[in-house]
Amino acid sequence: MYSFTNYSSVNVWKLGTILFLCLYCAACSSGGSSSSGTTETNSFTVSSYNFEEPQTSGATFYIDPANGSANGDGSASNPWLTLQQVVEDNLIEHYAYSESYNTDSDLKVINADAPVKGGDTLILKAGYHGHLDIRTFIFTDWLTITGDEGAEAVLSQIKLFGAFRKVYFKNITVNKESYNTLGHETTPYYDSDDIDGAVIYCASNSFWGDGAEVKFKGMTVMSAADSSSWDADTWVERTDSGVAFRGVQQSELVDSTIDNVATGIAVTDDCSNSYITNNLVQGYRIDGARIISNNIYFADNEIVDCYDVDDNHDDGVQSYSYTSEGAGTGTISNVIIRNNIIIGHTNPSHPLAGNPQGIGCFDGMFDNWTVENNLIISSTYHGISLYGVRNSAILNNTVIDLDSSDSPVPWIMIHAHKDGRESDNNIIANNIVSSSISGSGTNLTTENNYVIGKSNYDEIYNLFTAPDDADFTLLNNATTQDSIIDQGSRYEGYHSSDYDLVGFSRDEMPDLGAYELQ
């Protein structure tokens, strides 16, 4: 069993530091798609992605819980009190649809001539800023809401439930527990109807309208700051999901930390053209991430420390299709899962250490999926498993057993849909895996995979630099030269044929696994 002696949240980020330099991604097509039903395939094209900081064209206002006043004017010398106060006092001009249930209706002005408008910036000084619960918040120019540099601005929840557009949140701590410690001492945050649901919850609504174009960068998201004393029941009672997007197209979540939550990141219904990159999920009890939408780019994230506190089926990353007919009756199309690190638990001796599956997609269909350059350390059978998949590729992943003392050893597998529909036109290539490679269906290519073997656990010390410290970069020796280095095939149009998990170039033939020998 790995000791992970030197593996902490700091080291998680150390492993990912170079990774942040590689911001290649797949941009979604501009065509529309349904939420979880069948869609046109092959609409995800490879291009470069860089987070685009919204331009500010207007005024800057200040909000200061320690020195501000509800009667202020928002200037640096006379700031407002809290962000919640500014919203509830109608100090922000924005738009809403003029007709309920009709997102094609004209926009109408809300809070006309209020001091804050689209294009402006709200700077939050240190302290507790309340919670946001907003139904209409549409802007034609981006509104930026940012924590002041070097200060911890705190909200207990951000909830956008309805029609919103062009809102950018940056460098803010969203901690549900702060509802009690800094604001409302009588009702525990986990019993309060004021802040029920995910810590950050963004969802479209049939009455108010659709949300879209929302950005979060540099956020710190948690149910509570410290879970070290929690037992299993406390984990269940006190955690909600971290960040949830539901039916929100063109969402972006980048450079953020999510801790002590139920599910870390959930992207569901129609969140097409959304990007989830460079985030750390550390401390979760259900799934690290759920991707249940078409046209999603999920890359450069780290998911660690699952807590086993109930009978839930835990996964690092999970997906399933659904329609009104139930689970497994639709198709999730055009998803890229790239350059992620998933580790079941960095302290396997913890009494609540969970044992999540790596990437589990058990209720297809799944169409045009790319799963490449991921490092998965798990002690379950399902390292990477796709049930009912078409036109997809599993390339250059490293899937390693977390615990030599138990029987489940992770595999990579493509399987038929649970209802018997065959998988078709898929590739499993260039991977390193502890247990096995298996696939079924028509037009399946399986090649250049290195299987360590269920009973050959110690071979990892002959292949990788420092497995006990979760360093699975390659050693250069006779074994790796013979079986791994330059032993892969190139696949045109796939990122993993050109770059490895941390952005190093793959020259000539790629090495097997997530890392190229340096």
Side-chain angles (χ1 to χ4, degrees):
M1 180 185 296
Y2 301 134
S3 63
F4 292 108
T5 304
N6 299 315
Y7 201 95
S8 63
S9 61
V10 173
N11 285 308
V12 173
W13 286 109
K14 185 181 293 183
L15 281 174
T17 298
I18 302 174
L19 181 151
F20 295 161
L21 301 177
C22 182
L23 294 176
Y24 293 88
C25 122
C28 308
S29 72
S30 58
S33 63
S34 62
S35 61
S36 298
T38 303
T39 63
E40 182 179 353
T41 62
N42 299 320
S43 60
F44 228 38
T45 56
V46 175
S47 67
S48 62
Y49 164 76
N50 288 279
F51 180 83
E52 184 176 340
E53 194 90 10
Q55 296 296 311
T56 56
S57 57
T60 298
F61 297 93
Y62 296 85
I63 307 174
D64 188 343
N67 303 300
S69 167
N71 297 317
D73 59 14
S75 64
S77 59
N78 191 17
W80 289 309
L81 184 60
T82 68
L83 180 58
Q84 182 179 348
Q85 171 256 311
V86 169
V87 170
E88 292 180 350
D89 286 354
N90 301 319
L91 299 178
I92 303 177
E93 179 185 284
H94 57 280
Y95 297 90
Y97 294 111
S98 56
E99 299 177 20
S100 302
Y101 299 108
N102 184 5
T103 56
D104 293 326
S105 62
D106 294 335
L107 294 177
K108 63 180 180 181
V109 179
I110 305 296
N111 304 331
D113 299 323
V116 182
K117 297 174 174 60
D120 291 347
T121 299
L122 296 174
I123 295 180
L124 311 186
K125 296 289 187 177
Y128 179 63
H129 286 265
H131 64 275
L132 298 186
D133 189 348
I134 297 173
R135 298 293 181 267
T136 60
F137 216 46
I138 297 174
F139 298 90
T140 56
D141 294 309
W142 286 90
L143 175 70
T144 297
I145 302 173
T146 179
D148 195 18
E149 185 175 354
E152 186 179 27
V154 180
L155 288 162
S156 51
Q157 187 181 40
I158 296 174
K159 183 185 290 186
L160 303 178
F161 181 64
F164 51 88
R165 191 177 297 270
K166 293 188 182 296
V167 189
Y168 174 37
F169 294 92
K170 179 180 179 181
N171 297 342
I172 300 169
T173 294
V174 191
N175 178 3
K176 278 207 167 185
E177 189 179 38
S178 67
Y179 179 83
N180 295 140
T181 59
L182 297 174
H184 311 79
E185 288 75 18
T186 55
T187 303
Y189 70 90
Y190 43 86
D191 288 334
S192 174
D193 292 336
D194 287 343
I195 56 169
D196 62 336
V199 184
I200 295 177
Y201 181 65
C202 300
S204 295
N205 172 265
S206 60
F207 179 82
W208 299 104
D210 294 337
E213 293 184 87
V214 60
K215 297 174 184 267
F216 294 90
K217 182 181 182 185
M219 307 293 285
T220 300
V221 180
M222 63 187 77
S223 298
D226 184 5
S227 63
S228 60
S229 64
W230 290 359
D231 60 14
D233 290 340
T234 306
W235 261 97
V236 173
E237 177 186 47
R238 298 190 183 184
T239 55
D240 285 302
S241 291
V243 179
F245 297 121
R246 184 175 180 180
V248 181
Q249 297 189 18
Q250 296 172 269
S251 305
E252 294 177 70
L253 174 69
V254 303
D255 301 345
S256 296
T257 300
I258 300 160
D259 200 1
N260 297 330
V261 293
T263 289
I265 302 167
V267 185
T268 64
D269 297 301
D270 189 0
C271 288
S272 292
N273 307 323
S274 292
Y275 301 86
I276 312 297
T277 68
N278 302 342
N279 303 292
L280 170 64
V281 176
Q282 180 171 306
Y284 65 96
R285 65 174 177 88
I286 298 180
D287 296 323
R290 284 185 176 179
I291 303 173
I292 309 173
S293 171
N294 304 309
N295 303 322
I296 302 299
Y297 182 75
F298 187 88
D300 303 331
N301 303 290
E302 299 186 21
I303 299 173
V304 301
D305 294 346
C306 176
Y307 288 88
D308 183 13
V309 297
D310 54 24
D311 294 330
N312 183 72
H313 174 281
D314 302 331
D315 299 271
V317 175
Q318 182 182 190
S319 181
Y320 53 89
S321 73
Y322 68 91
T323 68
S324 59
E325 301 298 317
T329 57
T331 300
I332 302 292
S333 300
N334 311 326
V335 172
I336 292 179
I337 302 177
R338 173 186 293 162
N339 296 355
N340 302 287
I341 296 174
I342 301 172
I343 301 175
H345 208 289
T346 58
N347 179 15
S349 64
H350 190 286
L352 297 178
N355 192 23
Q357 292 158 149
I359 299 173
C361 304
F362 302 114
D363 289 281
M365 300 294 289
F366 306 101
D367 205 328
N368 193 33
W369 278 55
T370 301
V371 181
E372 60 182 351
N373 279 351
N374 300 287
L375 170 64
I376 298 171
I377 307 175
S378 171
S379 188
T380 61
Y381 293 116
H382 298 288
I384 301 174
S385 292
L386 307 181
Y387 280 54
V389 59
R390 299 180 296 232
N391 309 313
S392 298
I394 301 174
L395 301 172
N396 283 98
N397 301 281
T398 298
V399 180
I400 302 297
D401 187 17
L402 174 65
D403 186 352
S404 62
S405 66
D406 61 9
S407 58
V409 179
W411 58 44
I412 296 175
M413 178 175 66
I414 284 178
H415 196 276
H417 191 288
K418 289 179 181 179
D419 64 11
R421 281 179 286 170
E422 286 190 337
S423 293
D424 177 58
N425 194 32
N426 298 305
I427 304 168
I428 307 175
N430 300 352
N431 301 284
I432 300 174
V433 61
S434 283
S435 174
S436 62
I437 299 285
S438 63
S440 65
T442 55
N443 303 309
L444 174 66
T445 299
T446 304
E447 62 181 4
N448 306 326
N449 299 291
Y450 186 86
V451 177
I452 296 171
K454 293 182 180 180
S455 302
N456 201 22
Y457 180 86
D458 287 343
E459 179 69 6
I460 63 175
Y461 299 102
N462 193 37
L463 302 178
F464 306 113
T465 302
D468 289 342
D469 293 329
D471 183 352
F472 286 88
T473 54
L474 294 172
L475 293 173
N476 189 357
N477 55 37
T479 300
T480 57
Q481 286 284 351
D482 182 60
S483 302
I484 293 176
I485 296 169
D486 294 334
Q487 298 302 308
S489 296
R490 303 190 70 85
Y491 292 92
E492 183 178 355
Y494 286 98
H495 176 92
S496 54
S497 289
D498 297 317
Y499 300 95
D500 77 350
L501 188 153
V502 293
F504 289 123
S505 295
R506 294 189 189 270
D507 298 324
E508 300 177 354
M509 292 294 107
D511 298 343
L512 306 189
Y515 297 97
E516 190 79 0
L517 177 70
Q518 299 304 306

